[in-house]
Amino acid sequence: MKWKLNNPLNKMNVKQQLVLLFLVLVIPLFVLNSYGNYRAGQILKRHVTNAYIELNKQNFRLINRDIEAVNKVTSTVFQNSLLQQLNPVSTEETVLERVKNYEKLEDLLAGYSQETDEREPLYYSLYVYDPDNTYFFAPYYPNPQTSGVYFFSDEEKPEWFDEAVAKKGNGYLRLIEHLSPPSEGQGSQRTLAYVRAINSVYKNGTIGVLVVTNLDARIGESLQTVSLPEGELYFTDWNNRIFTSRSSNQSAVLELPPQADSGEPLMGVKDIITDDFIYVINYNYVLQQKLVYKVPLQALLQQQNEMKQVIQLITVVYFAGGLIIILYFWRSLMMPLQKLVTFVRRYEPGNVIPETPIRSRNDEISVLLHSIYDMARRLNGLIHYKYTMDLKQKESQLQILYQQINPHLLYNTLESIYWKSTMEGNTASAEMIKELSKLMKISLSRGRELITLGEELEHATAYIKLQQHRYDYPFRVIIDIPEELLQVSIPKITLQPLIENAIIHGVKNMGEDGEIAIRAVGEGDSLLISIEDNGYKPADYEMINRLLEEENPDPSFGYGIRNIHQRIRLHFGNRYGLKYTKRQEGGTRVTITLPKAGQTNE
């Protein structure tokens, strides 16, 4: 068995094949361009992210080094004997001794607050709970930009003091909004501080809380050493509350993607790449801190975007060039072919042909276009000539047919009058002559070849009355034609010959038992007229129908019904005409099929 592969291009026209060719040339270029840009972006983002991971680690070590240095200093302060001997509730010391101790502590903390390496200074302050106000002489105006020793009562206790005491000497970072309870006219005291409770070495209890302020400025210095293209740096606690940052973000909490907070105790660096940003996050679960780099991809991929634009420009130029070439071939090849196809599809032989397009070129398309237009005009000439000849032939045939039938009708009518006058004298002659005049009037029809069904029925009724006067035993006639069908056009002298056959070959010798029925019904766009008789003589209906269709029938068959059949077809076409069938109750039925519209092909 041989397998035959069908070429799918054979089912496409030339226009579709040109479009397909253009798409085949252009689409792979765009696909490769898109894939290359995507892969280049992924590789660049991964390399840059790896570089930021290393940078983040170094940056985080610097910050931890600063915090560790602060922790060591606080440990030194913690062990200072002067501070360990501080006891505000003691009543053994005089006021002068307290003043001297206060001044020494001030100098001690001020000494630790001085920086010699031109870095941002850190300010060490000691907050001591003094319920009895024994250090009443010490001022209580805390400031994040100064160091000092502050004694406070229950009304002046800072909100974070009890929290630091609860840590039991463990230092931690805290973003402090107020170093003292808020009051009217108080300046901003917001600062990132290292807070550590100072416990007594000699006895249980807390001496006070050591607060190292301005730590946000010190960490900010470390963050300034990192260069990010339009990026943002954040130093936060474990709950993403911002300690310090290098950005214009004024919110208190940093919003991170859902992948950043898994809820597990993490250590180390994690990177997250979203559609808009690269996040590099360094976790320290022990210290409950995070260092976050937030780098916008738009700034990161700016150089790559410039390369993309160059590649896209080349692609667009290639696309435009290909489009121009396709449009050129479309205009020079497809437009003339489309005009030719449109003309061939719409052209019907005999219709008016539009003007031939101007012949501005000498290629094969132009020659083909002009040749088809010229061929169509020659074909129209032949069709018009044949149409004229057919009309003349039909007119001649109609005239011959009418010349045949008129003497036949006149002969039969005069014969009827003759026999009737011989048998009855002159008693019915006047009536028969009257009916004859109707026959002659309708037969002439002022030269019209088509009359209404109502006029033709009047002609047939006059003929029936003449025939009923002729026979001794009358027969019945049933006419069942709806009034709305009486205006349909019909060739004149159509019903009379068929009724004459029904009388002569059907009911002539049946007397009162004879019956002729004339009925009409509409079916779609056709009109069906049937003439039935209940005669008993057998007939070969197949032979009659076959002789009606033959070009050269047997002359002995007669020309009456064939005349009617040919006239109907000459007027209305081959769909219409006569058909003989056997009547179910006995007898013969002839059916006339006519168009209901009644228009002719003349």
Side-chain angles (χ1 to χ4, degrees):
M1 181 177 180
K2 295 183 178 180
W3 293 91
K4 184 178 181 181
L5 296 177
N6 293 324
N7 187 359
L9 296 178
N10 294 336
K11 300 180 180 180
M12 303 172 64
N13 55 37
V14 178
K15 177 175 69 175
Q16 293 171 335
Q17 293 184 21
L18 281 177
V19 173
L20 179 61
L21 175 62
F22 178 72
L23 294 178
V24 168
L25 293 176
V26 171
I27 289 179
L29 180 65
F30 280 99
V31 172
L32 292 175
N33 182 25
S34 301
Y35 179 74
N37 289 333
Y38 171 75
R39 290 297 300 163
Q42 294 296 318
I43 295 172
L44 179 61
K45 284 188 282 188
R46 176 44 54 195
H47 285 309
V48 171
T49 302
N50 292 336
Y52 282 139
I53 289 174
E54 295 301 321
L55 184 62
N56 185 288
K57 291 178 180 179
Q58 297 177 10
N59 200 192
F60 201 51
R61 281 194 291 267
L62 289 175
I63 295 173
N64 286 337
R65 186 185 65 183
D66 289 336
I67 296 174
E68 184 64 26
V70 171
N71 185 57
K72 290 180 179 180
V73 173
T74 57
S75 297
T76 302
V77 176
F78 185 97
Q79 299 172 4
N80 187 276
S81 59
L82 182 64
L83 189 145
Q84 285 292 327
Q85 294 173 3
L86 181 65
N87 187 4
V89 297
S90 175
T91 58
E92 297 177 357
E93 297 177 331
T94 63
V95 174
L96 181 59
E97 290 175 336
R98 292 191 182 101
V99 170
K100 290 181 178 180
N101 290 334
Y102 170 74
E103 289 178 348
K104 292 179 180 179
L105 288 172
E106 283 275 337
D107 293 339
L108 176 65
L109 296 178
Y112 284 117
S113 301
Q114 295 178 359
E115 290 289 341
T116 59
D117 55 356
E118 297 183 356
R119 300 188 65 190
E120 284 287 339
L122 299 177
Y123 301 98
Y124 291 78
S125 300
L126 179 63
Y127 290 80
V128 182
Y129 179 53
D130 184 12
D132 298 330
N133 198 19
T134 56
Y135 284 80
F136 60 89
F137 52 85
Y140 187 66
Y141 301 107
N143 190 315
Q145 300 297 323
T146 59
S147 61
V149 182
Y150 304 102
F151 297 88
F152 58 88
S153 60
D154 289 329
E155 294 80 9
E156 297 171 329
K157 181 187 290 187
E159 58 183 1
W160 42 265
F161 186 84
D162 291 336
E163 176 187 274
V165 172
K167 297 287 185 178
K168 298 179 179 182
N170 294 319
Y172 67 99
L173 291 179
R174 191 185 197 284
L175 189 63
I176 296 178
E177 297 289 343
H178 300 282
L179 294 171
S180 60
S183 61
E184 185 177 355
Q186 186 183 64
S188 174
Q189 295 184 333
R190 181 185 176 91
T191 183
L192 177 63
Y194 182 85
V195 183
R196 184 176 182 181
I198 305 296
N199 297 323
S200 175
V201 177
Y202 305 105
K203 58 182 179 178
N204 293 330
T206 300
I207 298 173
V209 175
L210 186 63
V211 179
V212 184
T213 58
N214 203 35
L215 197 59
D216 48 348
R218 174 65 65 87
I219 295 176
E221 280 186 341
S222 299
L223 298 181
Q224 291 294 336
T225 61
V226 179
S227 176
L228 297 181
E230 301 181 16
E232 302 173 0
L233 279 74
Y234 297 92
F235 185 58
T236 72
D237 65 4
W238 202 251
N239 296 319
N240 300 328
R241 288 178 296 186
I242 300 174
F243 288 153
T244 184
S245 67
R246 223 186 73 188
S247 71
S248 58
N249 188 355
Q250 300 297 323
S251 61
V253 179
L254 175 63
E255 292 185 3
L256 294 176
Q259 307 94 303
D261 296 321
S262 61
E264 299 177 356
L266 299 176
M267 291 291 290
V269 184
K270 181 178 182 180
D271 63 276
I272 301 170
I273 302 177
T274 66
D275 293 336
D276 299 320
F277 296 96
I278 293 178
Y279 294 88
V280 179
I281 307 171
N282 201 325
Y283 297 86
N284 190 329
Y285 182 74
V286 176
L287 298 178
Q288 296 285 291
Q289 298 165 3
K290 298 178 186 177
L291 179 62
V292 180
Y293 287 2
K294 182 180 178 182
V295 183
L297 285 176
Q298 186 64 32
L300 179 64
L301 302 177
Q302 182 175 1
Q303 186 175 5
Q304 186 196 11
N305 290 335
E306 293 177 357
M307 291 297 298
K308 278 185 181 180
Q309 292 176 359
V310 173
I311 296 175
Q312 289 174 354
L313 179 60
I314 295 174
T315 304
V316 170
V317 172
Y318 176 82
F319 176 82
L323 185 61
I324 291 173
I325 294 174
I326 290 294
L327 290 177
Y328 171 77
F329 281 103
W330 193 290
R331 181 179 179 84
S332 61
L333 179 63
M334 288 305 304
M335 289 184 64
L337 286 177
Q338 285 180 330
K339 290 181 180 179
L340 182 60
V341 170
T342 302
F343 169 73
V344 171
R345 285 179 177 175
R346 294 182 178 178
Y347 171 70
E348 293 184 5
N351 287 353
V352 178
I353 299 175
E355 184 179 354
T356 305
I358 299 175
R359 186 169 180 174
S360 58
R361 39 194 253 183
N362 296 320
D363 57 6
E364 291 81 356
I365 300 296
S366 179
V367 172
L368 178 63
L369 189 65
H370 285 75
S371 299
I372 290 180
Y373 271 81
D374 293 341
M375 181 177 65
R377 287 192 175 88
R378 292 194 298 270
L379 181 59
N380 273 7
L382 292 175
I383 291 172
H384 291 157
Y385 176 78
K386 185 177 184 302
Y387 180 71
T388 303
M389 293 297 102
D390 287 345
L391 284 179
K392 291 181 179 180
Q393 181 181 5
K394 286 184 178 182
E395 290 176 358
S396 301
Q397 290 175 348
L398 286 172
Q399 291 300 326
I400 293 172
L401 291 172
Y402 281 122
Q403 289 173 5
Q404 289 176 346
I405 198 168
N406 285 334
H408 180 73
L409 172 63
L410 180 60
Y411 174 81
N412 289 338
T413 304
L414 291 177
E415 184 181 22
S416 298
I417 295 174
Y418 171 76
W419 284 105
K420 192 67 177 178
S421 299
T422 302
M423 295 173 63
E424 297 183 358
N426 295 325
T427 56
S429 297
E431 184 67 24
M432 294 182 70
I433 293 173
K434 179 181 179 182
E435 298 299 334
L436 178 60
S437 66
K438 287 184 180 181
L439 284 173
M440 296 300 295
K441 178 181 179 182
I442 295 172
S443 297
L444 293 173
S445 302
R446 304 179 191 176
R448 290 181 298 157
E449 296 179 2
L450 294 177
I451 60 177
T452 64
L453 179 58
E455 293 174 326
E456 177 65 14
L457 189 61
E458 184 180 357
H459 173 272
T461 304
Y463 173 77
I464 290 171
K465 290 181 179 180
L466 285 174
Q467 295 302 314
Q468 285 178 333
H469 281 297
R470 173 179 178 181
Y471 297 103
D472 293 333
Y473 301 102
F475 50 86
R476 296 188 307 278
V477 178
I478 300 173
I479 299 176
D480 182 14
I481 298 178
E483 186 175 353
E484 64 270 13
L485 300 177
L486 294 177
Q487 298 302 318
V488 178
S489 297
I490 184 173
K492 63 184 179 181
I493 316 176
T494 296
L495 299 181
Q496 180 270 325
L498 301 178
I499 295 172
E500 179 182 0
N501 284 345
I503 295 173
I504 297 175
H505 302 291
V507 301
K508 176 179 180 183
N509 299 318
M510 294 179 65
E512 294 179 354
D513 295 331
E515 180 181 283
I516 296 176
I518 305 172
R519 296 184 176 88
V521 294
E523 287 188 3
D525 58 353
S526 299
L527 172 65
L528 303 180
I529 305 173
S530 62
I531 301 173
E532 305 175 357
D533 65 75
N534 60 348
Y536 53 89
K537 293 182 180 181
D540 189 348
Y541 303 110
E542 292 184 3
M543 182 193 69
I544 296 174
N545 292 324
R546 186 174 62 255
L547 292 174
L548 286 174
E549 300 295 335
E550 289 183 359
E551 291 291 336
N552 300 308
D554 188 355
S556 63
F557 175 67
Y559 59 85
I561 59 175
R562 180 174 171 78
N563 180 290
I564 299 171
H565 185 69
Q566 289 182 338
R567 284 193 292 122
I568 292 175
R569 289 199 165 184
L570 285 171
H571 279 294
F572 303 114
N574 293 335
R575 286 180 53 193
Y576 308 99
L578 304 182
K579 183 176 182 181
Y580 276 85
T581 57
K582 182 179 180 181
R583 189 168 174 265
Q584 187 174 2
E585 299 84 356
T588 301
R589 177 190 293 117
V590 58
T591 303
I592 309 170
T593 304
L594 299 170
K596 190 183 292 186
Q599 298 178 352
T600 69
N601 292 326
E602 295 180 9

